[in-house]
Amino acid sequence: MADGSEKNAVVSNKKVIFKDYVSGFPKESDMAVTVDENLTLKVAGDSKGILVKNLYLSCDPYMRLSMTNRSSEIFGTYTPGAPITGFGVGKVIDSRNPEFKEGDLVWGLTGWEEYSLLKSSEGLFKIHHTDIPLSYYIGILGMPGLTAYGGFYEVCAPKKGEYVLVSAASGAVGQLVGQFAKLMGCYVVGSAGTQDKVELLKNKFGFDDAFNYKEEPDLNAALKRYFPEGIDIYFENVGGKMLDAVILNMRVHGRIAVCGMISQYNRDQPEGVHNLMSIVYKRVRIEGFATVDYYPQYSKFLDFILPYIREGKVKYVEDIVEGLENGPAAIIGLFSGRNVGKQVVVIAPQ
Amino acid sequence: MADGSEKNAVVSNKKVIFKDYVSGFPKESDMAVTVDENLTLKVAGDSKGILVKNLYLSCDPYMRLSMTNRSSEIFGTYTPGAPITGFGVGKVIDSRNPEFKEGDLVWGLTGWEEYSLLKSSEGLFKIHHTDIPLSYYIGILGMPGLTAYGGFYEVCAPKKGEYVLVSAASGAVGQLVGQFAKLMGCYVVGSAGTQDKVELLKNKFGFDDAFNYKEEPDLNAALKRYFPEGIDIYFENVGGKMLDAVILNMRVHGRIAVCGMISQYNRDQPEGVHNLMSIVYKRVRIEGFATVDYYPQYSKFLDFILPYIREGKVKYVEDIVEGLENGPAAIIGLFSGRNVGKQVVVIAPQ
């Protein structure tokens, strides 16, 4: 079997296939690892395709939404029988697209398989800075990083000294939002689901405080304890009961940037949020946003974040599993909070 | 009995007293009409008080919130045994405040009684334009007008050609939002609770379309029928099921200005809103606002609205009842939708 380094080689292609639409909590058995034999590592001449060898694959909460047979504007639906898709870092093996050439390192949407034929270059970014771990391009330097950047600096419109709450705070996005808040001179508290994560937030990422929401029977009371003055900014990753409690604790002219609602993704009927009238009392803005709207700012974001990474002033914690066959368990682990930090699947480390 | 035109006269003072905190639907018997005898029409010399004769009183949905023993940032709680309070138009009878003098016409927060001693001039506006019906100063030229103005032009940030939905659309605020939307070149649909109100919206206020939400068993389907392209702007006055259905029908980068949620005010536990995740898919902004934040723009608002009123280009429909003793029924009628247009109680017409 060729390793893909030789053009026109014929290789096998391991894949994680999506079996059928999921309701409730997803299981490993909703996916299947299969192998296609006889993939020729060459893009057909009449296409604009780009053939990549996938190196790192990203596990992100939004992927659960694509496992449901309900379309939305921004998250497509997986096709039963086809590989699941997600963000990945890859190396170009062959290309008929003039913007990309053999050997280029790229990140963007790809398939959960060893080799993917990308039909267009839309949303595919070339990687120019390779002094940074390549896996970071599906984390701090990729979609989650841009999500934290656009969501915090643009949607939250933070000011120095403001009180900031981040939920799912040790995750791929939350850990960055907390660090950005500290860079801005805010007071930041994170919520997470284990004591280890709480320690990580305080000791590694420099959050001012953190708590384990699973040990707080009364979230409203917990928030009043951590924010006696109230909350100016809530970076929302979880939804449901946490959102309901947060709304009651917002300060006047507070902002809630809604990045996602992972606590709701496995429910057929989302929980109701009851306290919305409080956004009138406090003149609160709740705003959903999508990373794709910040793609045009990606190079500006790189200019911002790369020095912080190189100087060690912004840290990034990854939870890395090896091998495509361990991908299904890794993605499912997101919903039980098994991962500590950004969940990455390594397919072929450089 | 003196009529109040003579200073130092002694008069009786009819009042609407708040009896006790209300849960559920308020009733007329939650209020009582009483008379205080021997009110001397003079402000004590050591105060900054302003004594006004109330001419028109306003019935506004937010008043229900003050009937509950839960405080909020912007709506105070009524005091059992004291008169209910609300917006009113009055005439100054005596004043120790240098900014106001006998004979001045004013609008602002006052008591539900024939004469009120206002302890400060905060939030009290002098009326300079008397070619307009005085009752308009508790409607189009008062709090509801400024609410529609700030909420629509600032919070909704409308653009020509956008699709606008207004709920409680024939009410004190909604009828103006719809007309402002037409002035802006938007397509506007109103929802209301009777066929008469629907006709009013279409024929008097120039809404492009309108519907009776009580005759729509499936609000989501109704909205898809009235907005096949989706909704850019929702001016929210009702909350609950309508909000949940609207969220599903918002367009990308849509805006929801939350003015109030009248459907929820008589519930001990507000209904849950389940579809909030859609604000991520569509990058929707939901923003609560309070009229008090637009008070500094009041004179700019007058410059804007007065010419439209004088030229008949913006219309205003009031539902007028006579006499303080009919006030309790009038305010309660707001919650069954009895009123058609802005509900006004006339105490003493000029």
Side-chain angles (χ1 to χ4, degrees), chain B residues 246-299:
Chain B
V246 169
I247 290 173
L248 291 177
N249 288 281
M250 293 300 289
R251 303 182 83 190
V252 169
H253 293 128
R255 289 134 272 152
I256 298 177
V258 186
C259 176
M261 296 188 169
I262 193 172
S263 74
Q264 306 300 300
Y265 296 166
N266 298 318
R267 304 175 72 101
D268 286 336
Q269 165 74 326
E271 288 177 286
V273 172
H274 297 268
N275 297 324
L276 283 170
M277 185 58 197
S278 288
I279 73 169
V280 179
Y281 303 148
K282 304 290 183 62
R283 294 88 109 187
V284 168
R285 168 163 61 85
I286 303 180
E287 189 160 348
F289 70 98
T291 313
V292 66
D293 291 341
Y294 300 102
Y295 272 28
Q297 297 187 38
Y298 182 64
S299 68

Side-chain angles (χ1 to χ4, degrees), chain B residues 71-148:
Chain B
S71 66
S72 73
E73 290 277 329
I74 44 175
F75 306 119
T77 295
Y78 290 152
T79 306
I84 69 171
T85 58
F87 288 91
V89 171
K91 187 176 185 176
V92 175
I93 301 288
D94 189 23
S95 171
R96 294 275 170 180
N97 186 305
E99 295 169 57
F100 294 89
K101 65 175 196 305
E102 189 186 336
D104 281 350
L105 291 164
V106 295
W107 74 267
L109 278 175
T110 190
W112 274 42
E113 53 196 346
E114 290 173 287
Y115 299 92
S116 291
L117 177 62
L118 309 179
K119 287 179 182 158
S120 101
S121 60
E122 201 189 320
L124 195 65
F125 293 88
K126 217 174 285 189
I127 293 173
H128 297 291
H129 307 276
T130 53
D131 58 317
I132 314 282
L134 281 182
S135 58
Y136 277 24
Y137 286 90
I138 49 173
I140 185 170
L141 294 178
M143 182 276 285
L146 196 55
T147 302

Side-chain angles (χ1 to χ4, degrees), chain A residues 107 125-133 136-143 145-146 149-150 180 294-310:
Chain A
W107 75 268
F125 292 88
K126 219 175 280 190
I127 292 173
H128 297 291
H129 307 275
T130 54
D131 58 317
I132 314 282
Y136 277 24
Y137 287 91
I138 48 174
I140 185 172
L141 295 178
M143 183 277 287
L146 197 54
Y149 179 73
F180 293 166
Y294 300 101
Y295 273 26
Q297 297 188 37
Y298 181 63
S299 69
K300 182 179 151 210
F301 166 62
L302 282 186
D303 292 344
F304 163 83
I305 195 74
L306 283 169
Y308 283 119
I309 297 175
R310 289 181 176 130

Side-chain angles (χ1 to χ4, degrees), chain B residues 33-55:
Chain B
V33 180
T34 65
V35 179
D36 275 5
E37 304 293 345
N38 300 322
L39 173 70
T40 302
L41 294 181
K42 188 167 174 53
V43 179
D46 56 349
S47 80
K48 286 257 181 185
I50 304 158
L51 181 71
V52 300
K53 178 178 180 177
N54 292 309
L55 309 177

Side-chain angles (χ1 to χ4, degrees), chain A residues 253 270 273-274 283-284 286 288 293, chain B residues 270 273-274 283-284 286 288 293:
Chain A
H253 292 130
V273 171
H274 297 269
R283 295 88 109 185
V284 168
I286 303 179
D293 291 341
Chain B
V273 172
H274 297 268
R283 294 88 109 187
V284 168
I286 303 180
D293 291 341

